[in-house]
Amino acid sequence: DTGVSQDPRHKITKRGQNVTFRCDPISEHNRLYWYRQTLGQGPEFLTYFQNEAQLEKSRLLSDRFSAERPKGSFSTLEIQRTEQGDSAMYLCASSSGLAGVEQFFGPGTRLTVL
Amino acid sequence: DAKTTQPNSMESNEEEPVHLPCNHSTISGTDYIHWYRQLPSQGPEYVIHGLTSNVNNRMASLAIAEDRKSSTLILHRATLRDAAVYYCILNLLYNNNDMRFGAGTRLTVKP
């Protein structure tokens, strides 16, 4: 399968713990996006990478959220000191560098904070 | 703010055409119109996109108004597998391809 993959698919953690999610984009895609989706809502854009450069991070929800893409391939999203309000689906997407093209989404990581 | 407006829900009968409307009156000249759909517990799936002209692909057709302030996704023959939430989104080309999803239209297909 050559689509976008995310790991883990489900994560249950206790409030105050740190969690890290991984995204492996489609191999030839240089753009990578993170979204958060809460129940009944559409995905909410968080951050964006072009290769290893994080070009947009102002939409990260707080300074507890950070993302990296160290070699321009896979990416990680970390949430520090998790809160119950962080419970959501975290989606990763990738795209090529062409103008206005579609984004390919992974299956998501569902986070539950107890 | 690049915002789209869609009906909350629509129903269709199986094997009939479905027209899903979307208003995007604040669209700018470089914004692409994208449609995605999402099945329960899955990530969104790309359906179709366009800039100015109508577009067709194997999944659907996209009709874009001449002033680009509205568009319609057309499923030519709805199947039960087309039941999903459909999102109409503006892809902001000069804002890092920012895509701002709304709540979408929940399509129910009746057999």
Side-chain angles (χ1 to χ4, degrees):
Chain A
D1 183 54
T2 57
V4 178
S5 62
Q6 293 187 245
D7 184 70
R9 295 291 309 275
H10 303 273
K11 177 72 177 178
I12 299 174
T13 191
K14 293 183 178 179
R15 187 177 56 182
Q17 298 295 305
N18 298 343
V19 294
T20 300
F21 310 140
R22 176 180 171 122
C23 171
D24 286 90
I26 292 172
S27 59
E28 60 267 29
H29 285 176
N30 61 357
R31 294 182 177 178
L32 187 148
Y33 311 80
W34 284 98
Y35 294 81
R36 183 181 80 157
Q37 185 172 26
T38 53
L39 201 61
Q41 301 299 314
E44 176 186 13
F45 175 84
L46 296 179
T47 189
Y48 154 67
F49 291 86
Q50 181 157 313
N51 299 311
E52 64 274 11
Q54 190 173 12
L55 299 186
E56 173 60 67
K57 56 182 179 181
S58 66
R59 305 268 292 280
L60 286 168
L61 300 164
S62 78
D63 58 7
R64 297 183 297 105
F65 287 71
S66 63
E68 292 184 342
R69 195 182 182 197
K71 297 183 179 179
S73 57
F74 74 92
S75 175
T76 57
L77 177 70
E78 181 182 16
I79 308 173
Q80 296 183 326
R81 305 181 303 281
T82 52
E83 302 173 356
Q84 288 185 324
D86 297 332
S87 295
M89 176 77 83
Y90 290 85
L91 294 160
C92 173
S94 69
S95 73
S96 71
L98 299 175
V101 295
E102 65 270 32
Q103 296 180 15
F104 293 84
F105 283 81
T109 294
R110 179 163 297 284
L111 173 66
T112 303
V113 181
L114 301 176
Chain B
D1 193 15
K3 188 173 178 179
T4 60
T5 305
Q6 300 176 254
N8 290 334
S9 62
M10 291 185 65
E11 280 189 356
S12 172
N13 294 318
E14 196 176 11
E15 299 196 1
E16 290 186 354
V18 182
H19 291 235
L20 297 167
C22 181
N23 288 318
H24 28 78
S25 58
T26 60
I27 193 170
S28 71
T30 55
D31 295 342
Y32 283 76
I33 301 159
H34 281 231
W35 284 82
Y36 289 75
R37 70 182 185 183
Q38 189 173 25
L39 298 169
S41 300
Q42 294 187 21
E45 175 190 26
Y46 168 78
V47 177
I48 200 167
H49 78 282
L51 185 61
T52 56
S53 302
N54 295 344
V55 184
N56 299 298
N57 67 19
R58 63 176 179 81
M59 289 181 71
S61 295
L62 176 60
I64 301 173
E66 194 169 337
D67 63 5
R68 301 209 324 127
K69 294 189 176 187
S70 66
S71 62
T72 302
L73 178 71
I74 303 164
L75 306 178
H76 295 285
R77 289 183 64 200
T79 70
L80 296 178
R81 288 178 295 178
D82 291 324
V85 177
Y86 286 78
Y87 296 102
C88 165
I89 307 142
L90 299 183
N91 183 313
L92 309 184
L93 179 63
Y94 289 109
N95 192 13
N96 297 316
N97 291 101
D98 187 351
M99 296 208 305
R100 306 208 177 179
F101 288 75
T105 296
R106 180 172 298 279
L107 175 66
T108 302
V109 180
K110 296 183 289 185

